[in-house]
């Protein structure tokens, strides 16, 4: 498999991870409101830290060649902004600030990976 195909697959996986993150945040609100016991398991901070680690690792691998080739691209800036907002979601109080930061960050990161894939293909 050519290197660009592998990187495109990583970008697609990262887009899927971002979508999963957004679904996780939205479902968490419902679970917390309706099922407090299940909600506490679902919203365990370890899940957020593991997801953030996965997002950073995928972004580093997928955007690495772009960074080496272009130094700084619009997609990379958008992706870094998304990662920053997702990290912010780890430290702000639980509730709407966390949800807003995380979902916005995941969306921006997904857009950046899509831009990265299109630029490479």
């Amino acid at each position: 498999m050519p290197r660009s195909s592998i990187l495109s697959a990583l970008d697609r996986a990262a887009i899927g991870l971002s979508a999963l993150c957004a679904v996780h945040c939205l479902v968490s609100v419902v679970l917390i409101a309706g099922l407090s016991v299940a909600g506490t398991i679902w919203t365990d901070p370890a899940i957020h830290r593991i997801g953030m680690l996965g997002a950073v690792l995928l972004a580093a691998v997928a955007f690495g060649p772009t960074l080496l080739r272009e130094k700084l691209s619009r997609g990379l800036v958008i992706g870094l902004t998304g990662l920053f907002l997702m990290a912010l979601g780890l430290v702000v109080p639980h509730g709407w600030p966390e949800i807003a930061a995380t979902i916005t960050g995941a969306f921006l990161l997904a857009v950046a990976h899509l831009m990265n894939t299109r630029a490479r293909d």
Side-chain angles (χ1 to χ4, degrees):
M1 182 180 276
R3 185 171 182 218
S4 65
S5 296
I6 293 169
L7 293 174
S8 291
L10 286 173
D11 278 319
R12 286 190 298 277
I15 291 167
L17 183 61
S18 292
L20 184 62
C21 177
V23 169
H24 166 83
C25 288
L26 293 173
V27 170
S28 295
V29 173
V30 172
L31 286 176
I32 289 170
L35 306 167
S36 61
V37 173
T40 58
I41 294 167
W42 185 258
T43 60
D44 186 328
I47 291 172
H48 296 132
R49 289 190 295 270
I50 291 166
M52 184 69 201
L53 177 62
V56 168
L57 291 174
L58 278 171
V61 173
F63 287 111
T66 302
L67 182 60
L68 292 174
R69 185 180 66 244
E70 300 179 23
K71 298 294 180 210
L72 195 61
S73 69
R74 195 171 12 160
L76 181 63
V77 171
I78 292 170
L80 289 174
T81 303
L83 286 172
F84 171 78
L85 288 171
M86 290 170 64
L88 184 64
L90 292 173
V91 297
V92 298
H94 289 299
W96 290 113
E98 174 191 19
I99 293 166
T102 305
I103 289 178
T104 304
F107 174 76
L108 289 175
L109 188 56
V111 167
H113 279 290
L114 184 60
M115 291 171 69
N116 197 41
T117 299
R118 289 183 175 168
R120 193 172 29 254
D121 291 342

